[in-house]
Amino acid sequence: MRFLIYLLFIFLCFNCKNAESEQKLSIKSSDVSVISSKDFREFKVLDSKYINNEDLWQPFETDLEDFTEDAYQRLKPLILEQDIPTIKENFSKGKLNYENLIKFYLYRIRAFDRENEMSLNSVISLNKNVIKQAQDADRMRFEVAPHPIFGMPILLKDNINTEGMPTTAGAVALQGNNTTDAFVVQRLKAKGAIILGKANLSEWAYFFCGDCPSGYSAIGGQTLNPYGRRIMDTGGSSSGSGVAVSANFAVAALGSETSGSILSPSSQNSVVGLKPTIGLVSRSGIVPISSTLDTAGPMTKNVMDNAILLDAIYGYDEADSKSIDTNWGNDYHLLDGIKTSSMEGKRFGVPKRLLEDSLYVSAISDLKSKGAIIIEIEEVDVDLPDFLRLLNLDMKVDLPSYLSNYAGKDVTVSSVQDVIDFNKKDSLNAMPYGQKLFEGIVDDNATEEEFQKVKNTLKTNGRIYFDTPFKAHNLDGFLSINNYHAGFAAVAEYPAITVPMGYTEEGKPKGLTFISKPLSEKKLLAWAYVYEQVSKRRVAPTNYN
């Protein structure tokens, strides 16, 4: 594991102008979160060889005929960069309806996402019934106001099972994986959300090739960062979700994280991403890496929308072995009080080594201005031994379990080895960067006792890393940058939220990341909201306005 991290560290140092200074801040020898963010400059593959743009848009030809550039420009100030409450207010004023909201996003996706000089390759597939569903939403009348997510167009990372669109995980082997809805999708639909489509991702949630750029999948092609197309890394593995939200292709998106896969693309694309407590959000019907560490989570342009989306998807799922019954009630627990929340007297631990980052220092100053107490801390020197083995050993069992219980009937693979063999039939298209991590899964073995020891050690070390300063300084939270501490948060099973905190001299986005104890999502959202309102650091990507 240390050797893998060392190789990745060396690679980053030679491939990023500012890698040396950033890596000095972000990498501990055991911090595996680096695998979810690589800074590539050259791509073997850019555009998808499996998505036909004409076929993608054929279902919408008639419905979009009357949606002109004039209509788009008229709606733009009502929708672009607006939060859900503001969009809903425009509905109540008669300025907007669900059909036009959907058409606005479809118009933007068609204009910017594929096969042109601005393409971002962030969307893999579209819901062909989405306009009809918006029209149905426009006809609905309620005696009691629906959940705020009602009628909002949401993109889903393409490892989340969704009826009517294949769930590919970006892999050719799952191209025909037509399924029923995952539990989280059922939750969204029950509250009236409209599934706009599926977002590209780092193939197999970035636990596949080992030597490929983040944001690449065989099905979706290479996702590109709107702040620096073909220059800046998208982060991974929820790359398409982060890019699509940042570029205003949907109100919000769902991503998933094992270690850094929400936090990394959120911070890299200047959006808000929340990695929940493991078990708060169901994983049933989501293509897995690790049943120990996986979770889905919301990715949005602002904190309020993040709270709304998380409020819509959390809930107990008896089919998920780690699901938590929170007893929080049905709705609105996570929304209540966010706008009136306070940072006054809250105590946050700040690793001293991160104070070399000027954006981080500025963010701390913003927090202090709202009454936060900042304590500089020395980090506990603990490793995360055998982290890679945990992922290997989990996926070796968890992927076959998904394929057996949740995959569509036309899927022909049933194990990691089957996928490896399938890809070898057309390696140039199915695995242009190889499949080193999948081969490592097959080669790894352990007894149940050994595996349990790996999991126990990692969880213990992760909690020691955070709990030691928490107890010593009576901390409420821990402040990080981007996904720098995602590995420790992952194994500790602690939730984290990242919020845009500005841009480097080269224009590269960064995020301020709050980490706290399990089931502290309401606190995290409140702190993030206070910080967002005092800092207001997000700026939409210039070329996509």
Side-chain angles (χ1 to χ4, degrees):
M1 185 64 218
R2 286 177 179 270
F3 182 66
L4 173 64
I5 297 299
Y6 176 75
L7 288 178
L8 290 170
F9 175 80
I10 294 299
F11 180 89
L12 285 161
C13 287
F14 280 95
N15 283 275
C16 179
K17 181 179 178 183
N18 296 310
E20 186 176 351
S21 61
E22 287 204 19
Q23 291 305 312
K24 205 163 53 171
L25 296 179
S26 66
I27 303 299
K28 285 173 66 72
S29 64
S30 57
D31 190 351
V32 298
S33 61
V34 67
I35 69 172
S36 61
S37 180
K38 294 182 183 178
D39 223 12
F40 277 72
R41 291 292 182 269
E42 298 295 331
F43 305 108
K44 290 183 180 180
V45 179
L46 197 63
D47 295 322
S48 170
K49 298 178 181 180
Y50 295 90
I51 296 174
N52 183 300
N53 221 32
E54 289 185 8
D55 292 344
L56 185 68
W57 291 102
Q58 190 277 328
F60 308 105
E61 279 184 5
T62 302
D63 286 323
L64 290 179
E65 280 179 354
D66 62 345
F67 194 84
T68 63
E69 176 68 17
D70 286 345
Y72 169 74
Q73 292 296 337
R74 176 178 57 81
L75 293 173
K76 202 171 175 182
L78 304 177
I79 301 171
L80 199 74
E81 287 294 297
Q82 302 296 346
D83 62 14
I84 289 173
T86 302
I87 291 173
K88 292 284 188 174
E89 187 178 340
N90 289 328
F91 275 85
S92 65
K93 292 178 179 177
K95 296 179 179 180
L96 189 60
N97 62 24
Y98 294 110
E99 181 178 354
N100 280 334
L101 181 65
I102 293 293
K103 287 181 175 179
F104 176 87
Y105 286 121
L106 290 174
Y107 187 93
R108 283 185 62 80
I109 294 168
R110 185 168 62 176
F112 290 121
D113 201 47
R114 289 196 179 269
E115 296 186 5
N116 61 69
E117 61 184 14
M118 302 286 287
S119 62
L120 298 172
N121 298 334
S122 66
V123 177
I124 277 187
S125 59
L126 293 166
N127 173 9
K128 64 183 179 181
N129 298 313
V130 70
I131 293 177
K132 180 184 180 301
Q133 290 167 2
Q135 292 168 341
D136 291 342
D138 280 323
R139 287 190 286 267
M140 294 287 284
R141 298 293 179 267
F142 298 92
E143 292 183 7
V144 178
H147 192 280
I149 206 69
F150 178 87
M152 294 296 99
I154 308 297
L155 285 168
L156 307 174
K157 183 177 180 179
D158 197 25
N159 61 349
I160 301 173
N161 281 5
T162 312
E163 187 174 354
M165 289 168 280
T167 298
T168 71
V172 181
L174 296 187
Q175 192 173 14
N177 185 27
N178 297 297
T179 70
T180 56
D181 288 332
F183 186 90
V184 289
V185 182
Q186 294 173 23
R187 299 280 294 178
L188 282 171
K189 288 183 176 179
K191 291 178 171 61
I194 296 175
I195 308 305
L196 179 60
K198 307 295 283 293
N200 200 5
L201 69 163
S202 306
E203 188 168 336
W204 293 107
Y206 216 8
F207 199 64
F208 171 58
C209 42
D211 296 314
C212 53
S214 50
Y216 169 77
S217 75
I219 294 293
Q222 180 64 53
T223 314
L224 300 169
N225 191 316
Y227 290 93
R229 187 181 178 276
R230 302 188 70 171
I231 298 172
M232 295 178 186
D233 180 43
T234 60
S237 65
S238 304
S239 317
S241 297
V243 168
V245 168
S246 187
N248 283 272
F249 292 164
V251 165
L254 283 190
S256 69
E257 174 154 332
T258 306
S259 175
S261 289
I262 289 173
L263 298 177
S264 167
S266 295
S267 54
Q268 293 283 123
N269 294 283
S270 201
V271 300
V272 178
L274 188 146
K275 194 264 314 197
T277 305
I278 296 169
L280 180 65
V281 175
S282 165
R283 294 93 53 84
S284 298
I286 300 177
V287 182
I289 292 178
S290 167
S291 57
T292 306
L293 303 181
D294 288 349
T295 180
M299 301 171 71
T300 59
K301 289 183 289 294
N302 57 76
V303 176
M304 181 55 68
D305 288 358
N306 206 278
I308 289 171
L309 184 51
L310 183 62
D311 192 81
I313 62 173
Y314 85 84
Y316 179 72
D317 172 16
E318 63 181 14
D320 183 344
S321 62
K322 300 195 82 163
S323 191
I324 299 169
D325 189 351
T326 61
N327 296 312
W328 285 349
N330 293 325
D331 293 325
Y332 310 119
H333 171 84
L334 293 166
L335 307 180
D336 182 42
I338 284 183
K339 286 191 173 182
T340 58
S341 54
S342 171
M343 194 72 79
E344 190 71 38
K346 300 299 184 292
R347 299 170 62 84
F348 295 98
V350 171
K352 290 180 181 179
R353 67 188 172 97
L354 298 189
L355 293 172
E356 295 179 33
D357 189 301
S358 60
L359 294 176
Y360 185 68
V361 171
S362 179
I364 289 169
S365 178
D366 288 332
L367 295 176
K368 285 181 177 179
S369 75
K370 302 305 290 184
I373 299 169
I374 302 299
I375 295 96
E376 296 182 15
I377 62 172
E378 296 289 352
E379 295 166 85
V380 180
D381 186 16
V382 292
D383 279 344
L384 301 183
D386 292 321
F387 189 101
L388 187 62
R389 292 202 72 204
L390 168 61
L391 304 188
N392 284 343
L393 297 169
D394 258 347
M395 195 167 186
K396 197 169 192 173
V397 173
D398 295 339
L399 182 57
S401 178
Y402 167 87
L403 294 170
S404 174
N405 296 310
Y406 294 104
K409 58 181 176 56
D410 294 328
V411 173
T412 60
V413 293
S414 60
S415 68
V416 175
Q417 184 63 59
D418 284 352
V419 175
I420 292 172
D421 295 339
F422 178 96
N423 289 335
K424 288 179 179 177
K425 297 175 184 176
D426 185 10
S427 59
L428 186 62
N429 290 317
M431 54 164 201
Y433 297 97
Q435 48 188 347
K436 183 168 66 179
L437 291 178
F438 258 37
E439 291 164 352
I441 294 169
V442 172
D443 291 341
D444 207 343
N445 292 285
T447 65
E448 183 59 37
E449 183 179 0
E450 290 170 336
F451 186 28
Q452 193 60 50
K453 183 178 179 181
V454 167
K455 290 193 284 188
N456 290 344
T457 299
L458 286 168
K459 187 170 185 177
T460 298
N461 287 9
R463 294 210 165 179
I464 287 172
Y465 180 83
F466 290 115
D467 291 354
T468 301
F470 268 66
K471 291 176 182 176
H473 303 288
N474 192 27
L475 301 180
D476 293 287
F478 181 101
L479 298 179
S480 182
I481 300 172
N482 294 5
N483 62 322
Y484 288 4
H485 293 88
F488 288 103
V491 295
E493 302 186 17
Y494 282 12
I497 188 170
T498 189
V499 187
M501 70 172 184
Y503 307 84
T504 66
E505 290 181 0
E506 298 77 23
K508 181 180 179 180
K510 283 191 173 184
L512 177 67
T513 302
F514 297 81
I515 302 170
S516 194
K517 296 290 187 73
L519 297 179
S520 60
E521 279 76 5
K522 188 172 181 179
K523 292 179 181 178
L524 289 171
L525 287 161
W527 300 335
Y529 183 83
V530 172
Y531 170 68
E532 177 189 63
Q533 295 306 302
V534 70
S535 64
K536 296 189 183 296
R537 292 274 155 66
R538 172 172 159 81
V539 177
T542 303
N543 293 332
Y544 299 87
N545 286 341

